[in-house]
Amino acid sequence: MPAYVEHKTLVGEHGDSVNTVAFSPCGRYLASGSSDHSVCIWSVHSGSFLFRVVFESTINVLHWHPTREETLICGCDDGSVVSMSDFRPNGFEKKLIRLGLKAPVFCVDIDASTSMWAIGVGNQINITAGDNQDECTAATRLPPPPKVDAKYTENDSRVRPRALHFLSGGHKLIVSYLNHGIVVWNIVSKTVIWHVKPPSISQIASSAVCLDMNVLVVNTLQDGLCLYRIGNKKAIWKWEHESECDVQCPSSISFLHEGRAVVSGAITGNVRVWNMDSKDLYQVLPHGGDITQAVATCQQGAWNYIAVGSALKGQDTYIKIWKANITFSSDILEVFWHRLMVLRFSMDLMDYGRVALAVAFTILWAAAAFAVVRLMWLHIPWREICGGIIGFARDAVHVVLSLALWLLSEGSLVLLTVRGFVRDTSMAMLDWLRSAVRSFLDLPPAVHHLQESMIDLGDRTIYNPHSNTKLVDKANINPNDGVGNETLESAWEPVRKIIILAHSEPAWNDLDQICDVRLAKTP
C-alpha cells in the first residue's frame, strides 16, 4: 500500500474541538463541524476556506447526501437536523427535519436507493423519508435495543446510538449503541435480526461498514478495534489501542483503499492505518500528541485522502488532510490474495456450503463433458472429415486462381466493352434530352445539331460561318410582298430559338431549309 504524506493543514476558522469531518461524494469539498457551533466547508485540492454556517449549538454529525449534489446534513446538540444545499455567497437553501424530540443528534445515515433517512437522536432511532418534503417529520421510530445483563451497564446504562448503517436496499439497519452492543434491525417489522451484546463487546465509540467485504469494524473505548462479519456475533480480528489513557474520547473510524485498510483517530494523536489483508499496522500519521477524534476518508481519482480534526486545542484547532497515490500494484498474487480476503470476509457457513455444492456439481459436469468429448473423439471419422475440409479448401483456391487469371487475360476487353456501353448510353440520353427540348420548342424533327457560332444577330442577319454567305436579311424583305410584319416575326422567332439553344456541331443545311420555308418564300 502507498505511504501517506501531509497535504494541507486547515487553520484559523474553528475555535474549539472539531467533532466531525466529512468529504463530499465528489471528493472536492470537506465539511467540518465544531463545538464552536460552526460548520465550515473547505476545498480539498487547495485547502482554502469556502463557506461558514453558524448554528445555536454544538455540531455533532455531518453527512453529505449520497445522491443530491452538494447537499449537507447537519445534526446538532440541541436536536436540530438541517439539510443545506445550493451554497452561494449570499446564503444557502435550508430544510428542517422535525423529530419531535429535543435531544442531541449523534448519527445520521441515508440510503441511496430508497432515500430513507436514519437519525439517532437521544435514545431513539427515527426513520423518515427526508427527500419528499421541504420540512420532514419522523415517520418510523425503532424500539429500544434488547436489554443486556445489568452488571455490564451498572456504570452507564444510557441508550445512545453511536453509528447507523443501512443494508439490503434500506430494509435493514445496523445500529451501534454505546452500551448495548450492535443490533441489526428489520425496519419493516421492527424486529431484531442479530445482536452482538456485552461482554462480547465493550462500549462503542463509532463503527464503519464495508459492504463489498460484508464486514463491520467497531472502535470501542476499552478494547480497541473489533472486526465482525455482518451476521456473525464473534469478532474475527481485534486491534489493540496504542496505550491506556485515563481520558476516554470517542474517535471516528473509516475504511479506505476500497476496504483494504482501516484508519482510526486516537487520544495520543497518532492516527493509525491498518492493513486489512495482513492485519498489520501499516502507517502512523502523527499529530503532535493532540487528541484526534474526527476522521474521514475519500478516494478521488488516483488519490486517497484522510482528514483528521484536532480536539481540545481552543483557538489553535486545526484539520490536517493527508493523501497517498493508491494506484494498486498489478501483481497477480497480490490481487488474488485481496480477492481471497474479500471472499473470506463476505461469506458465512451457509455460503461455504453453497460453494462446496457448486464445486461438486462443477466437477461432475466437467467429468461428464470430458467423457462425451472422449467418446466423440473415438467414434467420429476425423480422417475423412479432415480430408473433406482440405479438398474443399483446395477447390476454393483453384476457383479463385482461375478467376484471377481470366481477369488478367480478358480484362482489357471487358474494360473496352464497359466503356462502349457507357458511351452509347450517354449519347442516347443526350439525344433524348435534345428531342425533349425541340418538342417543347415546337421545332421540326429534322432540325438538330445546331450551334450558335460566328452569327451576328444585331441586325437580324444570319451568315453561314462556313461559306460566309448571307442566308436571310430581314432588312431586305419587302413588307409589300405579301408577308406581313406579324407573319415575319412569327417566322423569325423559331430561328432565334434554334440558334440560341442549340449546343452541337452546326448543321447549316438544316438552317437553310428552315429559312427557305419560313422567310425566303413569298406569295
Side-chain angles (χ1 to χ4, degrees), residues 225-424:
L225 277 64
C226 300
L227 182 67
Y228 290 87
R229 182 182 295 112
I230 296 177
N232 194 327
K233 298 181 180 181
K234 185 178 180 180
I236 57 178
W237 197 264
K238 289 186 178 182
W239 293 277
E240 300 292 335
H241 281 313
E242 181 180 2
S243 61
E244 296 183 0
C245 184
D246 296 335
V247 179
Q248 292 185 346
C249 184
S251 56
S252 304
I253 190 170
S254 180
F255 282 99
L256 66 160
H257 297 179
E258 300 178 355
R260 295 188 178 190
V262 177
V263 60
S264 173
I267 299 174
T268 60
N270 293 328
V271 175
R272 292 186 162 194
V273 181
W274 285 274
N275 190 322
M276 283 286 293
D277 294 340
S278 63
K279 306 300 185 302
D280 297 329
L281 178 64
Y282 172 70
Q283 187 177 357
V284 176
L285 310 180
H287 292 80
D290 301 324
I291 296 176
T292 54
Q293 62 179 2
V295 175
T297 62
C298 171
Q299 181 175 336
Q300 184 181 14
W303 293 92
N304 202 94
Y305 295 90
I306 300 175
V308 181
S310 64
L312 304 179
K313 292 288 291 182
Q315 294 298 324
D316 296 329
T317 299
Y318 62 88
I319 300 170
K320 278 190 178 182
I321 301 178
W322 303 76
K323 73 174 183 178
N325 191 314
I326 57 169
T327 304
F328 294 116
S329 172
S330 58
D331 187 1
I332 297 178
L333 292 178
E334 182 181 347
V335 174
F336 174 76
W337 180 255
H338 176 66
R339 298 302 179 190
L340 189 61
M341 291 298 102
V342 171
L343 288 175
R344 173 192 170 192
F345 288 134
S346 60
M347 294 171 58
D348 55 19
L349 292 178
M350 294 184 62
D351 293 329
Y352 284 119
R354 296 190 188 97
V355 170
L357 189 61
V359 170
F361 273 108
T362 302
I363 294 175
L364 290 176
W365 278 109
F370 177 77
V372 170
V373 170
R374 181 174 178 81
L375 183 65
M376 293 174 61
W377 180 265
L378 293 176
H379 291 80
I380 292 179
W382 295 106
R383 185 183 298 276
E384 289 78 1
I385 293 176
C386 293
I389 294 174
I390 294 173
F392 175 79
R394 187 189 303 113
D395 295 341
V397 171
H398 177 71
V399 170
V400 171
L401 292 176
S402 300
L403 181 61
L405 292 174
W406 180 82
L407 289 175
L408 290 175
S409 60
E410 304 294 337
S412 58
L413 179 62
V414 173
L415 290 177
L416 290 174
T417 304
V418 172
R419 187 177 67 178
F421 174 77
V422 173
R423 182 186 60 190
D424 295 342

